[in-house]
Amino acid sequence: MTVQQAKSYGKSNLTLSPTPLLDTEVILQHITGFDKTHLLLNRDTELSEEQEQFFINAIEKRKTGFPVAYITGHKEFFDFDFYVTPDVLIPKPDTELLVELALDALEDKFRANQNAIPTICDMCSGSGCVGLSIAKKLQEAAHSFTLTCADISEKALSVAQKNASRLCASTDSMHFVQSNLFENIPHSFDLIATNPPYVPHEESIELLKDGRSEPLLALDGDVTETGEFSGTNDGLSLIRRLVPQCYEHLNRNGVLIMETGEYNTQETSELFKSAGFRTVRIEYDLNEMMRDVIGIK
């Protein structure tokens, strides 16, 4: 099977995918090591027997709805290549806004004190894409900092640690803590950036019917402290606990930035105000959808 034949095979078999050619090309790039241009220029290249078998198996997985990122084990986020598994959510482009807002907040702190060593927490870190993108940018700018990545899932933390080792020049200032929100985190921070589970329960169940295989634990916002269904369906059960905990774990003038998506951003901003945050504002993503809430302690 040549590269061109593989493209035709993938396109004709992925009829239920909204992006059959793109899916096929990403899988082929992973198999061959070619970028998109080289894939086009080498369309007559024969796949090895091993490559062809991997490709056919990958197409079969994709037909079930299994995401390409899980097949290849990679997903680009904030121009960095993150390792992903079904133990973590696949990083989404909309979440890049959370990183941008965090970097802006940290830049304000550096302007006020160029020798500042900010303490940062990526709560519900999953793959670590938020916290580690922040860390990598700070390292590139030669800024000192400490980062705590926290998640209730031990497997998710393992993925985050692998990404830290792969992406960051040093991990000496990084800590990875398995914790149910702030249960195992006694100290406070200058910045908390978090993308917690915020999808309403019934919609979470519906989303996973397409075979995407992302962890329900990372999507469903309607869970109790013990992980059971809260009985509500607004995606806010976890956030109602998280917001006041963030307030308690921020230093004076500390900043909380939380992604809550289009589901409940307005309601979350009111929870910020009730918890004591000031100058609370909502930020919109590139699709003009309410995406993040920011508040200062």
Side-chain angles (χ1 to χ4, degrees):
M1 180 184 288
T2 65
V3 166
Q4 186 58 41
Q5 288 171 334
K7 280 187 179 183
S8 299
Y9 178 89
K11 187 176 179 181
S12 62
N13 276 272
L14 297 179
T15 54
L16 297 181
S17 169
T19 55
L21 182 57
L22 177 62
D23 293 352
T24 302
E25 289 180 341
V26 171
I27 293 169
L28 283 170
Q29 287 173 49
H30 174 69
I31 293 170
T32 62
F34 296 152
D35 59 23
K36 191 169 185 177
T37 300
H38 282 85
L39 203 65
L40 180 63
L41 295 175
N42 292 275
R43 57 190 176 188
D44 294 327
T45 298
E46 288 278 348
L47 299 180
S48 69
E49 186 176 335
E50 184 180 4
Q51 288 174 326
E52 183 175 331
Q53 191 57 57
F54 183 99
F55 174 75
I56 292 171
N57 291 341
I59 294 298
E60 289 303 307
K61 288 180 182 178
R62 182 66 186 123
K63 283 167 66 175
T64 69
F66 198 65
V68 173
Y70 289 154
I71 293 171
T72 64
H74 295 271
K75 181 65 177 178
E76 184 178 289
F77 178 84
F78 216 72
D79 292 330
F80 304 130
D81 178 36
F82 280 87
Y83 166 67
V84 293
T85 75
D87 295 314
V88 298
L89 287 182
I90 297 169
K92 307 296 191 294
D94 288 335
T95 303
E96 292 183 357
L97 176 62
L98 180 56
V99 177
E100 292 170 357
L101 294 171
L103 289 170
D104 288 344
L106 290 168
E107 190 57 38
D108 289 341
K109 291 187 179 296
F110 289 126
R111 275 196 293 265
N113 177 8
Q114 62 181 358
N115 296 317
I117 304 178
T119 51
I120 305 162
C121 178
D122 176 8
M123 175 54 66
C124 306
S125 63
S127 67
C129 64
V130 171
L132 296 177
S133 294
I134 295 168
K136 190 159 175 64
K137 285 295 186 181
L138 292 181
Q139 287 182 344
E140 290 175 355
H143 287 306
S144 297
F145 64 93
T146 63
L147 170 68
T148 298
C149 289
D151 201 286
I152 194 171
S153 167
E154 183 179 3
K155 291 181 178 179
L157 281 175
S158 178
V159 172
Q161 286 176 294
K162 183 169 183 177
N163 278 319
S165 298
R166 291 175 65 249
L167 295 171
C168 297
S170 170
T171 60
D172 292 345
S173 62
M174 301 178 191
H175 309 280
F176 298 85
V177 183
Q178 185 178 6
S179 181
N180 187 350
L181 302 184
F182 284 93
E183 184 178 49
N184 297 325
I185 303 175
H187 44 283
S188 298
F189 302 91
D190 297 312
L191 170 73
I192 298 173
T194 179
N195 180 18
Y198 58 73
V199 181
H201 175 73
E202 290 181 7
E203 188 154 349
S204 298
I205 300 297
E206 193 64 30
L207 282 172
L208 294 176
K209 288 181 179 178
D210 66 1
R212 67 182 61 191
S213 301
E214 291 186 290
L216 178 63
L217 182 67
L219 287 171
D220 190 352
D222 291 306
V223 292
T224 65
E225 190 172 356
T226 56
E228 300 165 344
F229 175 45
S230 63
T232 58
N233 192 44
D234 58 9
L236 286 167
S237 294
L238 184 143
I239 289 175
R240 289 190 183 97
R241 300 193 307 277
L242 178 57
V243 171
Q245 287 187 36
C246 286
Y247 189 86
E248 291 300 318
H249 284 82
L250 278 170
N251 297 325
R252 186 172 180 271
N253 295 319
V255 179
L256 170 61
I257 310 174
M258 180 180 294
E259 178 176 322
T260 59
E262 67 275 22
Y263 299 98
N264 43 41
T265 314
Q266 194 68 54
E267 293 87 345
T268 299
S269 70
E270 295 303 318
L271 291 173
F272 271 49
K273 295 171 186 176
S274 297
F277 285 97
R278 52 192 171 85
T279 61
V280 176
R281 73 179 193 272
I282 293 172
E283 291 284 343
Y284 290 72
D285 61 27
L286 292 175
N287 295 314
E288 296 301 319
M289 301 289 288
M290 290 188 290
R291 179 62 50 187
D292 297 285
V293 183
I294 304 177
I296 301 174
K297 180 173 179 178

